[in-house]
Amino acid sequence: MHRVVTLAWLTLVWVMLWEEFTWGNVLGGVVVAALVVRFIPSHRLEVRVGFRPVAALWLLIVFLWEMIKASAKLTWEIYTPRNTVKPAVVAVPLRCRVPGVITVVANMVSLTPGSVTLEIDEESTTLYMHVLHLTTMEEARYSVLRMEQLVLAAFPPEREAILDDREVPT
């Protein structure tokens, strides 16, 4: 069943990339999807992750708001003559060691204008990010830990996957 869903999803993505629904595009998508499913191994998640729709909606709202704020700040920086850029590399030790959760957090950091994920140390689950507008190290860490907390609320992993039970300060 998993392969059929993957095949259908990949075919849909193929047709969307071509931006036109034709039988040739659908057939081509099925062929490409079949090759992908056949030759690229599928990895199952090592840790089961749940899904909470209300928490996921809240995560989306908060993330979009953070993107709007960061975009406005970056736009202001571009169009004003003053240079307020204060770049820095910040290390943020994450609570969770579930690869999928860490990936979501790292991508959210990179999608936010003015910050980018540089590296994730898998052993210590530390995320290294570059920021353009550093106010304080604590504030930069807090923003990532808050996003991690929201991701963990939306996609709760098994209990043993959490490093510690500390709460993000409010």
Side-chain angles (χ1 to χ4, degrees):
M1 183 62 172
H2 175 69
R3 286 185 156 201
V4 172
V5 171
T6 303
L7 187 72
W9 177 250
L10 290 173
T11 302
L12 177 66
V13 169
W14 179 267
V15 171
M16 288 173 32
L17 286 172
W18 282 98
E19 297 180 349
E20 187 177 353
F21 183 84
T22 64
W23 289 111
N25 284 344
V26 173
L27 183 60
V30 169
V31 170
V32 170
L35 291 171
V36 168
V37 168
R38 172 70 177 105
F39 293 110
I40 297 178
S42 175
H43 300 285
R44 294 284 184 178
L45 293 176
E46 296 174 10
V47 177
R48 294 187 55 88
V49 177
F51 178 69
R52 294 182 180 147
V54 174
L57 180 62
W58 181 245
L59 169 67
L60 179 65
I61 290 168
V62 170
F63 177 62
L64 289 175
W65 178 247
E66 291 297 321
M67 283 184 60
I68 290 168
K69 286 189 334 187
S71 296
K73 189 172 190 174
L74 202 55
T75 303
W76 182 259
E77 180 69 38
I78 291 168
Y79 287 113
T80 57
R82 290 184 47 211
N83 183 2
T84 59
V85 172
K86 187 177 176 188
V89 174
V90 181
V92 184
L94 300 176
R95 294 175 46 202
C96 185
R97 56 179 126 192
V98 177
V101 172
I102 294 170
T103 301
V104 169
V105 172
N107 285 331
M108 290 174 87
V109 167
S110 291
L111 287 171
T112 305
S115 64
V116 67
T117 300
L118 299 174
E119 180 182 3
I120 299 171
D121 182 5
E122 292 180 33
E123 214 169 284
S124 65
T125 62
T126 300
L127 181 140
Y128 295 92
M129 68 176 188
H130 182 272
V131 294
L132 282 179
H133 298 97
L134 180 72
T135 49
T136 65
M137 290 289 207
E138 290 76 27
E139 186 177 323
R141 286 187 185 109
Y142 170 77
S143 66
V144 174
L145 292 174
R146 181 170 173 246
M147 280 300 165
E148 180 193 30
Q149 186 177 19
L150 292 171
V151 170
L152 286 170
F155 306 102
E158 294 174 341
R159 196 73 225 149
E160 60 270 8
I162 303 294
L163 289 175
D164 60 41
D165 287 330
R166 67 183 159 83
E167 287 293 319
V168 175
T170 56

